[in-house]
Amino acid sequence: MDWIGTVEDYGGERYQKLRNRHSGECLMSDSESGGGRNAVWQSNCNQTTTNLRWSFDGGNELSFPYVDNSLRVAASSSDAVYCSSPTWDAADDIPYLTHVWRGSHT
C-alpha cells in the first residue's frame, strides 16, 4: 500500500488515499452505521469522497475523517477487515489490538 494524492487536513489530522500496489485501487469504507462494523473494500482511486481518505496521524490506528472509526482486523482468526470504533468495540469485548497497525507490509 502507498499513500497517494493530495494531503488534506480535516480537524487537524492529515488524510490521504491508500492505494494497493498490485490492484491500483484504493482502500475505502462507507461508515454508514456510525459506531457499527463497516465494510472495507478496494475502489477506484479517482473518486472525490472522503471515504477514500485515511490517516495514520493518531498513532497506530488508520482512521478516516469525522468519525470515530478506524481500520481493524476481525477479532476471530478470520482474515476479515472492518472499520469500526475502538470504543464501541471495547464494549463488545473486541480487543483494542485489533485496531493497531505497525510497520509496513510489502
Side-chain angles (χ1 to χ4, degrees), residues 42-94:
Q42 294 180 59
S43 188
N44 184 315
C45 295
N46 294 328
Q47 301 174 62
T48 57
T49 176
T50 58
N51 293 343
L52 283 169
R53 306 247 178 235
W54 297 85
S55 173
F56 202 57
D57 281 356
N60 294 320
E61 291 179 20
L62 279 163
S63 59
F64 58 102
Y66 302 120
V67 292
D68 179 28
N69 278 354
S70 64
L71 186 68
R72 74 171 179 85
V73 295
S76 67
S77 61
S78 76
D79 291 332
V81 177
Y82 301 96
C83 190
S84 61
S85 164
T87 306
W88 188 84
D89 286 344
D92 248 0
D93 293 329
I94 297 171

Side-chain angles (χ1 to χ4, degrees), residues 1-3 18 21 56 101-106:
M1 300 294 270
D2 295 305
W3 295 104
L18 198 52
R21 290 179 190 157
F56 202 57
W101 300 87
R102 291 192 177 94
S104 94
H105 303 276
T106 56

